[in-house]
Amino acid sequence: MKITITQLTKYYGKIRALEDISLCISGGIFGLLGPNGAGKTTLLRILTTLLEPTSGQARVGEFDVMKDPGEVRRCLGYLPQDFGFYRSLTAFEMLDYIGAMKNIPARQRKEQVQAALAEVNLLKEARRKVGMFSGGMRQRLGIAQALLGDPELIVVDEPTAGLDPEERIRFRNLLARLAGERTVLISTHIVADVEASCMGLAVLNRGRLVFSGSPEALRDRARGVVWQVEVPAGRWPELEERYPVLSTRALNGRMQARLLSDHPPLAGAQPVEPGLEDGYVYVMKVDADRKEAQHA
Ligand SMILES: Nc1ncnc2c1ncn2[C@@H]1O[C@H](COP(=O)(O)OP(=O)(O)O)[C@@H](O)[C@H]1O
Ligand SMILES: [Mg+2]
């Protein structure tokens, strides 16, 4: 399933949430990365036909989200960022209800609900009340409802927020498995959520697209600008002020850190092979510098 976004802009009153976004998304897992307020939810709500853009176009498969919203809805399943739950329903009852809302005929519904529960490994919990579920189980149930109707495209908005590390890993594996035959579009502010599995990535910041391409290409953006340094703890504040810090480790009164810098930040600094997170931090920094330069 291919998604084509062309010069998409969205204002909420005077607030510009998306600015001239053009992007192509196809097959497998696609990661939409960005900090809070970047515009991720806005973009996903436009693609799922829940929100109209101020200008520009978006197509899901062969359908335009503005002209054919019904057709677009039929080919996608959506897990919103705040998925409301009917706490006193059982998992089965809830999916049966959502299936009915999606116009799945009663004859097929039971089978489809069971298949969806099986796919997210919740079949054994089908008769338990949703209110008793853990965060990880709830998100898996959220995926199960998105799977009803067997859509080609699954859209999930920050699905790992609030999960503990173990649930997070299980959830990532589930998405990777589902992406076999489908396109999965996932938004997150956590690079590790998409690091192992996605084929394509887009990074949004302040409503603008600051990167799109492969994970390797994002990593490459930070090539030559990541340094490992080690200094006495007393010298750290001065370095911290001068350079963007990727990570730190304190040991025996010394500070070990990874920094971003166009040149060696100090004698003895070691150049380091960049990771995906480094690339992400770097493109965000370039965008922040650009903004500063505009305002100077
Ligand atoms: N309904 C709304 N009314 C006004 N402003 C909004 C609304 N929804 C989002 N925004 C603003 O639009 C920007 C993008 O928000 P959002 O799409 O939720 O970003 P993200 O999902 O990346 O955190 C933010 O500045 C946010 O405050
Ligand atoms: Mg959001």
Side-chain angles (χ1 to χ4, degrees), residues 36-37 39-42 81 157-158 187:
N36 282 334
K40 303 181 296 298
T41 297
T42 300
Q81 185 163 4
D157 195 1
E158 301 246 11
S187 88

Side-chain angles (χ1 to χ4, degrees), residues 43-58:
L43 181 58
L44 297 186
R45 284 174 58 83
I46 291 171
L47 293 177
T48 52
T49 76
L50 298 170
L51 189 67
E52 290 202 348
T54 305
S55 63
Q57 285 106 43

